[in-house]
């Protein structure tokens, strides 16, 4: 891909009107501004890293062995040592580069002037990352030092919510490799995809970028390359993050030869005079917001380029946005850098203040709901424990109850009939209950216990087992004789053994046993034999 790093802004011959962005002709009219420190770039075929290019090159540090690059304290060994897993160790024996043995290259995400960025999968943890590989070989110690500065900046701002998260960097074969969090897309890609972005979203993006920029400006650093391409949208599809810290420079060193300008389309006018300041970043962010809110194709040079830097914003574009947003963008694009608001001043704009409040309350709310959810889960867990314990105890109790019941002896049901005064000294006569089983009523007559003993067996008692009868004489005089004869032998008419108590005993006074409740019965009927006094 041809790059135009040495071109100065030139008048455009055919571009005398501001245009909407072209989604097809990506980068077609992009020119890099003049670079004070620019050198020739070597396009790299990253699919086939040519290791021989690095041999005999500039630096003692550049070698075939991968070296971790880190500016963090020695107390943070994570970044200064390269991870090694058995898989990597095995692959490295195949003389693969550290990059190839650690990662599986999945896709190319983008390309800038300094590097190509790939979507990769870590062979160890299987996670996705982005790795930026420098295009140009380290052909001098100073150039290498400049490139490594980007690592220092990434490490410095990695913890900020609105700056890209950096993981580690290493060098091998005179190239710099930087592993970072994988983002969804750049703001440039997002704009080309959506074209019309709701104004509320624009305010949110502005807020994100001002917060990211403030973290740099508070450290007296300037980004110098703020543009839609260098803003990435996080995996949450919401948060905008500043990326590409390749040109970041200390304000105090900004006016000497160390500074390098960024993309001319976003460049503040004073940069042409070699004045670098935080205000230049504010201008770049202002013009990027104009591009984003109005879907406008920014000129890289020519009269329109100058118009935009003289406070002349095209009406047909700017009219599409609210006056409030218009005035913020205009203030950020003031020709005089001294008149531009600082990141702090912009963050105190009522609209942005309101958004920040809203975000804070949303964060509080989500934190509250998260802690509520957590405590609810804990309570529920404890309740489940209680429930289980209670249920277990109930089961034990029931089991114990059941056991104690089955152990207790079953008592025969014998009701003792209270003895009459005349039967004093006579042993108590038990009350006998007999159960008759039969479905045939003994029609129209009373039923006596003798019926069971007479041998007639009206109710077919022969099948009900041996009746247990006490002194039932005389029950029926008509049948008494044969009954008595039988009973004397203790055998009934069917030849069954019958227990017979002695009628002539002192109990003979109770001889008029009568079946109570002699009404006709069906099915089961309980007979209670009661013995009366004479
Ligand atoms: N972490 C990332 N996740 C997803 N895409 C990325 C990531 N980093 C970079 N990219 C993509 O790669 C492109 C080039 O990356 P980057 O801007 O860092 O390279 P560069 O060579 O420094 O660019 P420039 O020309 O702006 O200096 C970005 O515009 C973006 O589209
Ligand atoms: Mg870039």
């Amino acid at each position: 891909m041809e790059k135009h790093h040495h071109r100065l802004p030139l008048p455009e011959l055919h571009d005398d009107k501001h245009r909407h962005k072209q989604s097809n002709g990506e980068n077609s009219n992009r020119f890099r501004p003049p670079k004070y420190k620019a050198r020739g770039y070597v396009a790299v075929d990253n699919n086939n890293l040519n290791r021989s290019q690095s041999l005999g090159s500039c630096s003692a540090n550049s070698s075939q062995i991968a070296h971790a690059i880190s500016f963090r304290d020695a107390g943070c060994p994570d970044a200064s040592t390269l991870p090694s897993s058995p898989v990597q160790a095995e692959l490295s024996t195949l003389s693969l580069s550290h990059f190839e043995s650690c990662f599986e290259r999945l896709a190319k995400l983008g390309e800038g002037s300094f590097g190509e960025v790939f979507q990769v999968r870590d062979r160890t943890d299987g996670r996705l990352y982005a790795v930026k590989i420098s295009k140009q070989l380290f052909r001098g110690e100073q150039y290498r030092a400049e490139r490594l500065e980007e690592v220092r900046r990434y490490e410095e701002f990695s913890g900020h919510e609105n700056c890209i998260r950096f993981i580690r960097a290493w060098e091998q074969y005179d190239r710099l490799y930087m592993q970072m969090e994988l983002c969804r897309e750049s703001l440039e890609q997002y704009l080309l995809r959506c074209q019309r972005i709701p104004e509320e979203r624009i305010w949110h993006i502005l807020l994100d970028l001002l917060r990211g920029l403030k973290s740099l400006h508070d450290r007296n650093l300037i980004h110098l390359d703020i543009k839609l391409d260098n803003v990435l949208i996080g995996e949450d599809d919401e948060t905008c993050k500043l990326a590409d810290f390749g040109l970041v420079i200390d304000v105090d060193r900004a006016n000497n030869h160390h500074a390098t300008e960024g993309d001319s389309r976003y460049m503040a006018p004073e940069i042409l005079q070699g004045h670098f300041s935080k205000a230049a970043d504010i201008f770049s962010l202002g013009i990027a917001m104009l591009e984003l809110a109005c879907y406008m194709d920014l000129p890289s040079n020519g009269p329109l380029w100058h118009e935009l830097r003289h406070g002349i914003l095209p009406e047909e574009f700017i009219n599409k946005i609210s006056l409030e947003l218009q005035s913020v963008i205009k203030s950020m694009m003031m020709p005089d850098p001294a008149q531009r608001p600082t990141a702090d001043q912009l963050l105190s704009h009522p609209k942005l203040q309101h958004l920040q409040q809203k975000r804070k309350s949303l964060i509080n709310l989500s934190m509250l709901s998260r802690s509520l959810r957590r405590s609810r889960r804990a309570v529920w867990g404890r309740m489940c424990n209680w429930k289980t314990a209670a249920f277990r105890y109930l089961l034990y109790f029931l089991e114990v109850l059941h056991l104690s019941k089955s152990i207790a002896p079953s008592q025969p049901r014998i009701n003792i009939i209270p003895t009459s005064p005349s039967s004093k000294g006579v042993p108590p006569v038990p009350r006998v209950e007999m159960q008759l089983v039969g479905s045939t009523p003994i029609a129209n007559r009373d039923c006596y216990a003798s019926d069971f003993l007479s041998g007639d067996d009206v109710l077919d008692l022969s099948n009900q087992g041996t009746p247990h009868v006490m002194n039932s004489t005389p029950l029926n005089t008509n049948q008494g004789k044969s009954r008595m004869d039988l009973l004397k032998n203790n055998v009934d008419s069917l030849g069954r053994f019958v227990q017979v108590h002695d009628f002539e005993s002192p109990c003979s006074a109770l001889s008029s046993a009568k079946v109570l409740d002699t009404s006709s019965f069906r099915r089961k009927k309980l007979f209670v034999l009661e013995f009366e006094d004479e």
Side-chain angles (χ1 to χ4, degrees), residues 434 448-454 468-477 480 483-484 487 498-503 507-508 510-515 529-531:
M434 286 172 58
Y448 292 94
S450 58
D451 286 337
F452 313 127
L453 303 170
S454 64
H468 186 98
V469 180
M470 279 194 69
N471 192 0
S472 57
T473 268
L475 296 170
N476 190 326
T477 45
R483 170 181 52 84
M484 283 310 291
L487 290 176
V498 177
Q499 282 183 32
V500 177
H501 293 263
D502 185 6
F503 292 165
C507 297
S508 59
L510 308 169
S511 61
S512 58
K514 189 185 169 189
V515 177
L529 294 178
E530 227 170 46
F531 298 89

Side-chain angles (χ1 to χ4, degrees), residues 38-95:
R39 292 158 198 262
Y41 289 95
V42 178
V44 172
D45 176 10
N46 279 289
N47 291 312
N48 183 18
L49 285 173
N50 183 359
R51 273 163 225 132
S52 65
Q53 286 180 352
S54 68
L55 296 176
S57 61
C58 66
S59 145
N61 290 320
S62 62
S63 81
Q64 300 201 10
I65 299 163
H67 294 280
I69 310 280
S70 178
F71 294 86
R72 285 178 181 146
D73 316 338
C76 183
D78 197 37
S80 54
T81 52
L82 291 175
S84 175
S85 71
V87 183
Q88 290 158 21
E90 205 179 311
L91 287 170
S92 60
T93 59
L94 302 172
S95 69

Side-chain angles (χ1 to χ4, degrees), residues 32 109-115 117 130 132 164 180-183 186 189 225 227 229-230 232 244:
R32 293 291 300 192
L109 295 166
E111 183 179 351
S113 333
F114 298 100
V117 184
K132 177 171 171 178
I164 203 97
M180 313 170 255
E181 70 170 303
L182 176 69
C183 286
S186 72
Q189 290 162 334
D225 205 10
K227 57 178 180 176
D229 233 358
N230 287 342
L232 302 175
D244 195 350

